[in-house]
């Protein structure tokens, strides 16, 4: 009798394969059906049509930024070269700053908060010196920070104060500079000292020591990331201070900008040019300089008085407000025009240029309405534009066009605040 089935534990019968056929688990998957293809297509389309999530927006944050920007005084132009910039490596940048060639930096809300943080840290560090029994003298008889000037007022600055009673030298007065900084700069200062680690800070302190006649200075700084405090005493290097002041005088007397520090702002060594310099547009991107007496061929910085300027065209000294507004006879220094001078007339007071893009442009005496005047409310910045220049509202929506009379009034107002 034949046995149907098999005993438990017995081996399964071998599968017989027809020649040319493969087991089912080795077969390729069946082609998709029309329905499955439609479902996959619908899912793909749905994923493509889904709107991306919007960036989180806080009206409160924006209101805080706007309030800080409004409360901050304007990014005013310095009367001369600030002592805080005296150690700047690029002489061309110092010249542009002195000549008011570039548009002033707009102080937005975030920058205003950063500046306030620096002021708070300065006060904290000076109070820390008082806590250990030092005498700190911050203000002069007028109740303002001590001012220092050199080169007939064309180099100027304000020091944080003077201190007496340091544990290392209790009977010696020191000029004091208080700073705060990120880890990157902190590590260099802590390792190398301020002269090697943050040269511009050292130049600032050393110059104040030289101008005030002090032989010692105190550099005190705080790490923004960790809260650590570093104090360092310096001995005044009068020879270096004199050298840097002579360099500044040479820059002030230049009628044309010094050579560029880097010809290619995209070069590896030109990192500061493309990321940290306010003059990139004028120096490398063929932009026109601002209109002011200081960019005019007729204006000269004088080596007497307090930051005095004069005008050869009108044979008169120039007040600060006049320097800001310029006059209809303004003629650009040729080196500040992004082109080549090809013709000029002294009698008719005009100059003809071929610009970098091949167009011809005529600079010369022009009626007042040709210029447009602008006011940026948040920062208090004032500037004028030439015909054909871009509308500043395209990049700064808060800019407002104002009349020439309003331009003069606001210039006087901000000049008084800067003093």
């Amino acid at each position: 009798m034949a046995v149907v089935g098999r005993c438990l534990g017995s081996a399964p019968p071998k599968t017989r394969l027809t020649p040319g056929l493969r087991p089912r688990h080795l077969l390729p998957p069946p082609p998709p059906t029309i329905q499955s293809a439609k479902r996959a297509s619908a899912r793909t389309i749905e994923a493509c049509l889904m709107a991306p999530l919007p960036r989180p927006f806080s009206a409160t944050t924006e209101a805080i930024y706007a309030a800080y920007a409004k409360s901050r005084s304007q990014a005013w132009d310095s009367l001369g070269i600030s002592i805080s910039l005296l150690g700047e490596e690029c002489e061309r940048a110092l010249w542009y700053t002195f000549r008011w060639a570039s548009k002033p930096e707009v102080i937005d809300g975030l920058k205003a908060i950063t500046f306030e943080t620096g002021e708070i840290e300065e006060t904290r560090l000076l109070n820390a010196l008082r806590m250990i029994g030092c005498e700190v003298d911050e203000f002069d008889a007028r109740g303002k920070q001590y001012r220092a000037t050199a080169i007939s007022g064309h180099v100027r600055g304000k020091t944080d104060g003077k201190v007496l009673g340091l544990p290392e030298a209790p009977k010696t007065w020191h000029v004091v500079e208080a700073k705060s900084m990120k880890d990157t700069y902190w590590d260099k200062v802590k390792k190398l000292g301020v002269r090697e680690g943050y040269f511009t800070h050292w130049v600032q302190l050393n110059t104040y020591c030289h101008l005030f006649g002090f032989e010692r200075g105190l550099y005190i700084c705080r790490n923004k990331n960790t809260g650590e405090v570093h104090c360092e005493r310096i001995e005044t290097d009068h020879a270096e201070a004199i050298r840097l002041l002579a360099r500044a005088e040479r820059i002030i007397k230049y009628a044309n900008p010094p050579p560029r520090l880097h010809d290619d702002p995209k070069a590896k060594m030109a990192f500061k040019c493309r990321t940290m310099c306010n003059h990139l547009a004028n120096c490398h991107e063929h932009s026109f300089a601002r209109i002011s007496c200081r960019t005019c061929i007729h204006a000269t910085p004088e080596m007497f008085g307090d930051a005095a300027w004069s005008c050869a065209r009108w044979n008169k000294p120039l007040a600060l407000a006049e320097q800001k507004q310029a006059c209809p006879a303004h003629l650009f220094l040729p080196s500040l025009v992004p082109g080549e001078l090809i013709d000029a007339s002294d009698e008719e007071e005009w100059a003809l240029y071929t610009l970098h893009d091949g167009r011809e442009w005529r600079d010369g005496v022009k009626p007042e309405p040709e210029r447009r005047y602008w006011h940026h409310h948040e920062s208090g910045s004032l500037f004028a534009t030439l015909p054909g220049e871009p509308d500043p509202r395209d990049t700064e929506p808060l800019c407002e066009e104002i009349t020439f009379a309003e331009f003069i009034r606001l210039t006087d107002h901000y000049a008084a605040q800067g003093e």
Side-chain angles (χ1 to χ4, degrees), residues 20-90:
L21 294 181
R22 288 180 293 174
R24 180 173 297 178
H25 68 280
L26 296 178
L27 294 175
T33 63
I34 296 177
Q35 290 78 7
S36 63
K38 286 183 177 180
R39 286 195 297 270
S41 178
R43 287 194 297 269
T44 303
I45 294 173
E46 182 181 1
C48 293
L49 294 179
M50 287 180 64
L53 291 175
R55 184 176 65 87
F57 174 82
S58 170
T60 302
T61 301
E62 297 302 320
I64 290 172
Y65 285 155
Y68 264 95
K70 187 176 181 180
S71 67
R72 189 80 189 184
S73 61
Q74 69 150 6
W76 52 277
D77 295 296
S78 175
L79 290 177
I81 297 176
S82 173
I83 291 175
S84 64
L85 299 177
L86 208 56
E88 168 61 49
E89 180 183 12
C90 181

Side-chain angles (χ1 to χ4, degrees), residues 10-11 33-34 42 71 79 93 128 136 195 229 274 316 347 357 364 367:
S10 60
T33 63
I34 296 177
S71 67
L79 290 177
V136 179
R195 185 165 187 168
V229 175
R274 61 180 178 271
K316 57 171 287 188
E347 294 78 14
D357 57 5

